[in-house]
């Protein structure tokens, strides 16, 4: 985490993804264990950020936490209030009325994250008893004199799903899975377009997920993707797809 956090304090927009099939451990990677015995990416980054903040004068830290569920944005720090994603005159993505909590200590950060996780949408699938049914986006804002200097985002993507993963579940779960796969496909198309030198059109508006992540791929940005895979023999195909996706 330290290199990515260091880039954030140099003014870069940094992003860390967790991608993989349902049940492969993305939320565990981000959050760690509930009792704190194993630290996740949220905790590790928080310690590094607080340590660096103490070395600079005039910098402040605030946190936002929201989810994208079925193409809509919900503020996890404000009782899942619906918020809107818009672009300003400069083409920068802004999320209207999103809650930002000013934090000073590790304890305040983790309390804020736990509050948000309690509100996150989850459900049961054939592959996971408690599957995340939304994309969760946690953002740390580094501010100077009240203005955003840089930001660091953690994207806990909902798990990609096969039809077999939702065969014994209800209609709502199947519709959720279809929407999840649709948004992940849109993200894949954006990454593919970025990978092609000289590509004129970048399809960021194909989904809310790609729209809010626009600045994670443009300009002064540093992005890391963690590929979560399952060791099960039955998961060979999803594992290969995950590795191809992350490599691109």
């Amino acid at each position: 985490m330290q290199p990515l956090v260091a880039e954030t304090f140099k003014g870069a927009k940094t992003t860390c993804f967790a991608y993989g099939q349902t049940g492969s451990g993305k939320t565990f990677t981000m959050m760690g264990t509930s009792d704190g015995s194993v630290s996740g990416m949220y905790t590790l980054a928080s310690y590094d950020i607080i340590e660096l903040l103490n070395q600079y004068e005039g910098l402040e830290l605030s946190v936002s936490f929201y989810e994208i569920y079925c193409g809509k944005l919900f503020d996890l720090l404000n009782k899942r209030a619906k918020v809107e994603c818009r672009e300003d005159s400069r083409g920068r993505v802004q999320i209207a009325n999103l809650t930002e909590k000013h934090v000073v200590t590790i304890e305040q950060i983790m309390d804020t994250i736990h509050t948000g996780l309690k509100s996150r949408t989850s459900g049961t699938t054939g592959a996971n008893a408690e599957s995340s049914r939304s994309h969760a986006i946690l953002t740390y804002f580094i501010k100077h004199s009240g203005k955003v200097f840089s930001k660091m985002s953690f994207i806990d993507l909902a798990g990609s799903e096969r039809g077999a993963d939702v065969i014994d579940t209800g209609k709502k779960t199947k519709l959720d899975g279809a929407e999840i796969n649709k948004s992940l496909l849109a993200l894949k198309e954006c990454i593919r377009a970025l990978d092609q030198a000289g590509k004129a059109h970048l399809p960021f508006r194909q989904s809310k997920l790609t729209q809010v992540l626009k600045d994670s791929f443009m300009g002064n940005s540093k992005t890391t993707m963690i590929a979560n895979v399952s060791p099960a023999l039955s998961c060979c195909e999803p594992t290969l797809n995950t590795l191809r996706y992350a490599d691109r």
Side-chain angles (χ1 to χ4, degrees):
M1 268 294 91
Q2 288 181 337
L4 208 59
V5 172
E7 290 295 331
T8 308
F9 276 79
K10 293 177 183 177
K13 292 167 288 188
T14 57
T15 306
C16 181
F17 285 96
Y19 175 83
Q21 73 181 106
T22 295
S24 58
K26 297 177 300 299
T27 300
F28 172 77
T29 297
M30 289 297 188
M31 190 62 220
T33 54
S34 57
D35 62 3
S37 58
V38 177
S39 297
M41 305 306 289
Y42 295 159
T43 306
L44 296 173
S46 297
Y47 276 104
D48 290 339
I49 289 172
I50 292 297
E51 182 179 350
L52 279 175
L53 273 178
N54 293 331
Q55 298 177 21
Y56 295 90
E57 291 185 6
L59 292 184
E60 297 179 342
L61 176 66
S62 62
V63 178
S64 71
F65 202 8
Y66 64 97
E67 70 173 0
I68 303 175
Y69 176 66
C70 288
K72 298 177 181 177
L73 278 64
F74 299 94
D75 188 348
L76 296 178
L77 301 182
N78 186 23
K79 302 177 182 178
R80 291 194 79 248
K82 187 178 176 182
V83 291
E84 296 293 336
C85 174
R86 304 189 181 108
E87 287 190 21
D88 61 20
S89 59
R90 297 183 180 179
R92 297 175 302 187
V93 176
Q94 307 288 346
I95 301 175
N97 302 317
L98 181 65
T99 301
E100 287 185 23
K101 289 204 171 183
H102 176 66
V103 290
V104 178
T105 65
I106 296 292
E107 291 73 23
Q108 288 177 337
I109 295 173
M110 299 316 296
D111 285 346
T112 300
I113 293 171
H114 282 295
T115 298
L117 287 173
K118 289 177 184 177
S119 301
R120 189 179 177 189
T121 304
S122 63
T124 301
T125 70
N128 193 358
E130 193 173 346
S131 174
S132 300
R133 311 304 294 160
S134 66
H135 308 298
I137 302 175
L138 172 71
T139 305
Y140 297 85
F141 295 95
I142 310 295
K143 296 185 177 183
H144 183 264
S145 301
K147 295 182 179 180
V148 177
F149 169 70
S150 63
K151 67 178 184 177
M152 184 176 196
S153 300
F154 287 89
I155 321 295
D156 180 8
L157 294 168
S160 56
E161 294 178 348
R162 304 166 299 167
D165 293 332
V166 293
I167 194 168
D168 297 323
T169 53
K171 181 179 179 181
K172 182 177 181 297
T173 302
K174 291 180 181 179
L175 291 174
D176 289 352
E179 185 65 37
I180 289 167
N181 286 340
K182 181 181 176 181
S183 62
L184 291 175
L185 178 61
L187 180 59
K188 183 183 290 186
E189 290 301 316
C190 281
I191 294 173
R192 180 179 293 137
L194 287 164
D195 195 40
Q196 296 173 354
K199 185 79 173 180
H201 175 64
L202 300 174
F204 285 112
R205 294 188 181 182
Q206 281 192 0
S207 74
K208 289 296 183 185
L209 175 64
T210 51
Q211 188 176 6
V212 300
L213 293 181
K214 181 179 178 180
D215 62 357
S216 294
F217 297 106
M218 306 295 287
N220 184 17
S221 61
K222 303 287 183 180
T223 301
T224 298
M225 182 170 282
I226 299 171
N228 290 80
V229 297
S230 170
L233 182 62
S234 60
C235 297
C236 284
E237 185 179 347
T239 292
L240 287 171
N241 288 336
T242 296
L243 293 174
R244 291 190 190 104
Y245 194 109
D247 180 64
R248 184 180 291 277

